[in-house]
Every structure is written in C-alpha cells, then in structure tokens.
Amino acid sequence: MWLLWGRDLPKVSDLDVINFSGQTRVFDRRGELIGTLSPSLASGTNVNRELLGPKQISSWLQKAVVASEDRRFYQHSGVDPIGVARGLLKGLLRNDLEGGSSITQQVVKNTLLRDLGGARTAERKFKEAVLAYQVDKRFNKDQILNAYLNVIYWGDGGAQDIIGAGAAARAYFKKEAWELNLAESVYLATIIPAPNRRYKDFEAYRPLMRSVLTRMVEDGQITKQQAEQAWITPIYPAGWRIGWNTDGTVRTAVLERPSRLAENLVSMMPPGQQYRSLYYLQEVERELAGKVDRGTLYGGAKIFTGMDLQAQRAAEQASRNAQVPEGATLGIALVNPQNGEALALVGQKLTGGRPNEWNNATQSRRQVGSSIKPLLYTLALEKGWKQSDTILDAPISGDYQPKNYSGTWTGVYVSMRYALNHSLNLPTVRMGQELGVPTFEAKLRDLGLTPPRDGGLSLTIGTLEASPLQLAAAYAPFANGGLYYAPSTVRRVESAQGEVLYQRPDPVGKRVWDKRVAWLGLDMIRGVVNDLSAYQGGLATKARIEGWQVGGKTGTTNDIKDLWFAGVTPLTSGAVWVGKQEGGAMPNWAYSGDIPTPVWQQATAGALAGREAATFVPPEGIVYRTYYRLNMAFRTEEADQAPVGHDGSKREAEPEAEPTPTPAPPPPAQTEQAAPTSPDTTLPWTVPSTPEPSPSEPDPTEPLPSEPVPSDPPPSEIPPTETLPGDLPTDPALPTDAFPTDVQPDDAAPAEPAPSDPAQPETNPWLPPELTLPPRQ
C-alpha cells in the first residue's frame, strides 16, 4: 500500500493554515485595503472562508462533537484503532468502507485529500490514516478540533451550503457560534453524520441527544445535573414547531418551513458585505499557490494586487443588477490593456447571500460564439484585406453548412464592415476558408486562447472555449497598439516584517498585431457599437458609454447556451458571459445585445466614472475614407485602392464594383510612444479626450443605404427559429426593388441570376455597390 499510494502524499505542513483566520491583508493597485485572505478549508467542493477560532465557538459544542463523533479523540494518535475495526467490520458485513474515521481523519479528508472527494476506496482510507497520524504529531488536539468545526458540512442552506460551526449556529438557531447552549450544541452534534435527513425527522433522532449527554457525563465533560437540565431545555431548530413536555419528551413536532435555514443565513450575514471581492481574492490565492509557502502566506502577509477597487465594486454592482434568464448566472472580467492586470473579477450572479464558490470569470470555459469574429477579421486585415473589401454572403460547398443567425442569405457581396456589423456567419466562414484555419489557430494561440482539436471552419464563428478573463485579455491588443499581456492579479507579497516574499516580473507584452493592424481592428469593433442605431439592428448599441469611445462585439452560441459581450475603451478591456452553470439552453428571447452587453456597460462605466477621459489616437500611416457612407480606417498606401471581392477561395476575385472613396480627415495623428513599463502610466494610444472631427463619424440615427432598414427594432442577434427563411425586413419609404430578390433558405440552392452581360455586374440604382449582385459565372 505504501508503494502504491505513499509516495505522493500531500504535505502536512500545508495544514499550517488552520492556525490563521483572515490575518493576511490584500490591497488594490492604489494601496486601498480590499479585504483579508483566509485559507480555503473545505468540505468537498464547499469552502468556508469565515474561519472561527476556539474562543469563538461554544465550549459545549466542542465537547458535544467529541462525544458524538470521536469519543477517544484525546487518547488516540490520529487514528482510532477501535473505530477503524468497527469501520472494517461494517465494510465486510455491509460492503461499505465508510465509517470509523476519527476527527483528525475527517480534517485530512476535507483539506489535504479534497481531490479524492468522497470516494469510498482503500486508497483514500490508507492515505487518511497515514496523514492523520502525521497531523496528530504536528498539531495539538485543540487545533485539530477547531479545524474540524470550521470544515464540517452541516446541511443544505438553500443557495449556500451550511459549512462550519458559525453557519450552523446561524442557520439552525439564529445565533452566533459562541452563544450556543448545551442543548443546542448536542442537537447540532447529533445531526452531523446526515444533517439533511436528521434535520427533517426531529422525533426519530431525539433519543440520540440523550445518548450523547450520557457519554459526556461518563467522560467527565459535564455533570449529571447539567445533562438533566440540557435534556429538559426546549430547543427550536429553524422551521420546526415543537411542543415540549416538562420531562423533556416531545409532545408534537411539525416541520413547517424548512426554508427558514436559508433565511436565517441571509439575515445573519455579518455586516460589511463579508463576501465582497471574493472572486478576486480567490484568484489571488490560486495564483500564489506554489509561489509562497501557505503557512507564511496566511501568517499575516501583505498582498499588493492590480485590482482597481472602484472597478471591482462597479462590476459587483453590475452583477447584482444584471437581468438574466431564470437559472442563469454570469462571469465578469475587466483587465488593464496596458499590462494585463485584472482590474475586476466577478464569478457569479450576486444575489446578496453567500455566493457560489465557482468562479466563472476565470475557471469556466464556454464557447464564445460571434465574439471571436473580430479576431478573424483583424487577421484578414493583417493579411492585406481592407474594410471595404467584400465577401460573398451565400452558402458554402461541402459537408459543413453553417447559417446566418436569421436563417437567410442574400447571395451578394457585402463589405467586411457590413458583415461584422450584422454578425453574418456565411461571409465569415468564407473568410476563414481563404485565410486558412491553421493560420487562424496560430493567431488565437498568440492571443492566449486554446483552439479545440479539429475545430475546422466552425472555429471561425465561435466554437472556441474561453473564460471571460481570457477573452478580455485577447481583446486588450485592440486598445494598446497590438500587444498581448498574459492576465495576472498579484504584483507583490510581503511578510508581516516587510520582507518581499514574491515579486512579479514586469509585464512584457508580446506583439500580436502590427500597430496599424490593431488600429484597423479597433476601428471595426467601434463600428459594431456605433455604426447602427438600435432601430437599424445595431448589435451593441447598449455598450455605449457617454463621453467614452467604445468598441466591442456580441456573441451567441447554438441553442442560446452562452451569451457574450467583449469590448474595449481606452482604459479597459473586458468580457461578460451569461449562461447556466450546468449548461443548457436559455429562452429564445435572450439576446447577447440585451443581457451581457448592459452588464459590461454598467461595470465598465462604473470603473471609468470620475476618471479623466481619454481617447484612442491612431498611429502614423492611418487615413480615413468614406465607403458606403461609412467612414473607415485604412493604411495610407491602400486607402485609394478599389475594394476586392472574395468568395472564400484561395485567390482573390475581381472587384464587382468600385465605389468612389471620399477622403475624410482622420483623427489627429500622434507620434508613436514607447511601450509603458509602469503599471499606472498612460496608455500608448490615449490622450486627454478631445472631440473627433465630425466627418469621422457616421450619423448613427440615419439609415445607412448599405443596410436594410427594419420596420421594427430587431433583437441583437436573431436565432434561426425567430425569422422564417426568406424573410427580409422592408420599409415603405424605400422602393420595392431596394433589396435583393433572390433570398432563399440556407438549405436551398442559390438562385441563378437573370441573364446579363457577363462583363457587367447586375446593378440596382437604389443599392450601394456593396449590395450589388456578383457577375454571372
């Protein structure tokens, strides 16, 4: 057994954390106190971060738990031979390896052996015994018992589990742990083995209280008179209506409202929002694992982080205010584009009670949907494409048959800008065909993302999985001139004596986009937010922040399982995910422009509130031209080149039309600045805010000729089930021939265009050139 399992045992020294409870202080980037870092003692996956010391727990409860759970606790050396023998006998007779564990073994199981969970195996029992012996040699009994009382599971508290003596006292008796009397303490001790079952059958388990009191008398823990008094003392666990006889027997017992357990937990929550910054602190703890000794870390250290406390509070408020579908939760991550530091992390939809420990901001990996498209479009720009270049919006050949969200296609060439503004899948997949999936995968890896194996063309429209923190970091190069910084939280750790225990190396950015390419990508995602009004079908109008420049992109996955928004401002990059924790579809009315986008907007606006406004400034070599009444950024040498048509093949097609560009004055140029080294210096692309020249911005309130104008404001991204194939919006103000007439369902063959001169593309005087039908082949 030692050869099999004894060589990879956890270090008992890691349990040094049982001596400490919240002494380590954590500070944000400006030196403001965030909170204290408590060791995460846990029962399975359930974590108790509110650790109590021995003097904060009733001595009656300590004695009752020993009498009930491990009567020989003070005599054995971590393992009770009699208890083990009883457990083995039970295993032989009932095929059940559970039972016989000492208090020390249970501490080991719920801390050092958490990864093995509740597995009832010989391996776990062996490791428990060896480690329990080592723990008993290293710590005294009072320390071990105190750790047990902080880690033990005491039942289901609704939105949160009841972990530890503090939560148990509040849930069952609406008291603090030190206030429990002997009768209440004995009751809590008797329900530990199966709290949910025993709580619901008070009368059946009432005799166990007599047994525990008798043991306590026999062991000299209490006197006989104290036991008798405890037996006749009426107790009223939350939710129960109990009638008592004077001799301590139960006359009536009715469980009227089990929900009182959860209500008590919420109402007894300590003042000061105990769980504020929980998810950021959790990531700090994870990041420092293996870098700083746990005993030293929790012994009064000071941790300095990259958090912005204002941003964190804004993100938490946005989470509380978020309107999400029933059963859904969320994750929020904001990073500093300048160095990759996490400014704010929120891992769940906050409701006011103790939140779920799972951190969706950092731990979850969910398909990102259309929020991946700006990365592909920017790759195309890097390869020499222009925003004015066009792509065929028609079904592709082969086994993979994606569809646009509307379930329709136009059969015409649309510009890159139009395709991204409307989040069209078919032109996007054709773009991926021409650029090559391996090329795109390599770029995603440069951006800190992990493409799925054999993702194929589906990768171009969002089958990649990422966390909000990863996606926020991948968008940050749009805001900083093309540099990728790996996200981080911790800057420095000091001991209680001021000794530096850990110093993060200065962040070094990796060049992933040329500065001009990064600006062109930024210009496109700013178009997603600003080109269209909500009336025109703008996907991200709810991301706009007054006084600030914003760019971003929504994302929705199949069956509306995941909703995303990722976006940037001159000072922040962030991403929000909304979905069900366990996975599964959300209602058809849930749209990414309506649910995660306002959450991102509120969190980001709160983070920027009161800050000196900054604006994006283009690098040298960028000019603007107007195509299709949209002002677009171009590399200087390409600004006056005719748009090129693409159909997804490896060669470029002839342009189907040549719109006449209209020169427009670009925003003021600025000479290139050196990459910043100080975490708090100004971003290289930002200067104090000044109004941009009005010709640089299209009027978002005016219908653009390049887009159909719907008669009603449509949802941000329309699932196929919401629009019948072939339907196109119409407007009585436009002539009836203002839209393509060959729209067909995706599963139908494209209609053959009417005969025409092959040398001349078919045109419509009411359509801009980007919606001109392609030449007949």
Side-chain angles (χ1 to χ4, degrees), residues 121-201:
T121 63
E123 176 187 0
R124 199 204 74 190
K125 283 293 182 183
F126 173 78
K127 289 183 174 181
E128 270 184 22
V130 173
L131 289 171
Y133 179 80
Q134 295 177 358
V135 167
D136 194 81
K137 295 299 180 184
R138 186 179 185 96
F139 303 102
N140 63 49
K141 294 293 185 178
D142 290 339
Q143 290 174 317
I144 296 170
L145 177 59
N146 191 68
Y148 176 85
L149 291 171
N150 275 306
V151 80
I152 202 65
Y153 173 76
W154 244 299
D156 181 5
Q160 64 190 76
D161 287 327
I162 304 170
I163 307 294
R170 293 171 190 150
Y172 288 97
F173 296 108
K174 208 171 183 179
K175 292 183 175 183
E176 297 298 340
W178 61 270
E179 297 178 300
L180 295 169
N181 61 37
L182 177 56
E184 294 163 339
S185 297
V186 170
Y187 170 79
L188 289 178
T190 60
I191 68 172
I192 286 176
N196 294 324
R197 185 177 73 248
R198 295 188 176 190
Y199 163 73
K200 293 177 181 178
D201 197 348

Side-chain angles (χ1 to χ4, degrees), residues 321-611:
N321 294 343
Q323 301 297 313
V324 302
E326 184 176 357
T329 185
L330 55 72
I332 305 172
L334 299 179
V335 303
N336 182 351
Q338 178 183 342
N339 54 23
E341 289 180 334
L343 299 173
L345 297 172
V346 179
Q348 290 284 340
K349 169 73 173 81
L350 301 179
T351 59
R354 176 173 176 157
N356 188 314
E357 284 281 332
W358 183 260
N359 192 342
N360 286 307
T362 60
Q363 293 177 287
S364 289
R365 300 292 183 273
R366 306 284 181 155
Q367 288 192 356
V368 299
S370 294
S371 57
I372 201 175
K373 289 176 181 175
L375 307 181
L376 177 68
Y377 282 59
T378 306
L379 177 62
L381 296 169
E382 182 181 62
K383 299 301 180 182
W385 293 39
K386 306 181 297 297
Q387 292 193 61
S388 59
D389 286 355
T390 58
I391 322 161
L392 181 60
D393 177 27
I396 65 173
S397 60
D399 295 333
Y400 180 55
Q401 290 293 314
K403 297 181 180 181
N404 291 328
Y405 283 109
S406 64
T408 64
W409 47 274
T410 63
V412 301
Y413 284 79
V414 298
S415 71
M416 286 182 66
R417 184 87 162 215
Y418 181 95
L420 188 61
N421 281 348
H422 292 272
S423 199
L424 298 180
N425 286 338
L426 294 173
T428 302
V429 173
R430 288 179 178 274
M431 185 185 300
Q433 278 184 319
E434 185 162 331
L435 296 173
V437 172
T439 304
F440 187 38
E441 290 176 334
K443 181 61 69 174
L444 292 174
R445 293 188 186 97
D446 287 342
L447 289 164
L449 303 169
T450 305
R453 291 185 178 181
D454 304 321
L457 287 172
S458 67
L459 181 64
T460 64
I461 54 176
T463 54
L464 175 135
E465 295 181 343
S467 69
L469 182 60
Q470 288 178 307
L471 195 59
Y475 266 60
F478 289 128
N480 67 22
L483 297 175
Y484 171 78
Y485 291 93
S488 63
T489 59
V490 180
R491 290 181 175 181
R492 184 176 77 259
V493 180
E494 296 179 359
S495 69
Q497 293 74 37
E499 176 189 0
V500 176
L501 304 175
Y502 168 76
Q503 178 77 48
R504 184 198 64 195
D506 290 337
V508 177
K510 177 173 66 176
R511 173 67 60 188
V512 291
W513 305 117
D514 173 83
K515 289 189 176 183
R516 295 197 297 172
V517 169
W519 180 265
L520 297 178
L522 171 66
D523 191 56
M524 291 200 74
I525 62 174
R526 287 183 62 194
V528 173
V529 174
N530 298 295
D531 283 353
L532 303 176
S533 66
Y535 175 74
Q536 293 170 304
L539 301 178
T541 59
K542 293 182 180 180
R544 297 172 184 172
I545 301 173
E546 185 176 358
W548 290 88
Q549 296 175 326
V550 174
K553 182 69 182 74
T554 54
T556 304
T557 62
N558 289 342
D559 300 322
I560 319 182
K561 292 182 179 179
D562 305 283
L563 299 174
W564 286 86
F565 183 82
V568 298
T569 71
L571 300 181
T572 65
S573 178
V576 174
W577 165 83
V578 172
K580 293 186 177 180
Q581 192 70 65
E582 68 281 4
M586 289 181 287
N588 288 338
W589 54 260
Y591 303 114
S592 53
D594 296 332
I595 297 177
T597 304
V599 177
W600 180 94
Q601 194 273 353
Q602 183 179 350
T604 304
L608 298 174
R611 305 290 164 87

Side-chain angles (χ1 to χ4, degrees), residues 99-118:
S101 294
S102 67
I103 284 176
T104 312
Q105 286 175 273
Q106 292 185 62
V107 170
V108 166
K109 178 182 72 173
N110 290 318
T111 54
L112 299 176
L113 296 180
R114 282 181 61 190
D115 292 343
L116 294 180

Side-chain angles (χ1 to χ4, degrees), residues 21-29 31-39 49 271-282 284-285 288 297-298 300-305 307-310 312-313 316 492:
S21 38
Q23 298 177 20
T24 295
R25 291 177 293 168
V26 185
F27 301 88
D28 85 337
R29 60 190 301 170
E32 293 187 63
L33 181 65
I34 297 170
T36 56
L37 193 66
S38 299
R49 294 182 180 274
Q273 295 184 335
Q274 176 190 344
Y275 302 106
R276 188 170 57 193
S277 305
L278 167 66
Y279 297 104
Y280 202 102
L281 295 173
Q282 182 189 79
V284 166
E285 184 179 25
L288 289 175
L297 177 63
Y298 295 111
K302 294 181 181 179
I303 303 174
F304 299 90
T305 73
M307 176 201 275
D308 184 298
L309 190 55
Q310 176 178 322
Q312 180 68 27
R313 289 172 177 169
E316 291 178 359
R492 184 176 77 259

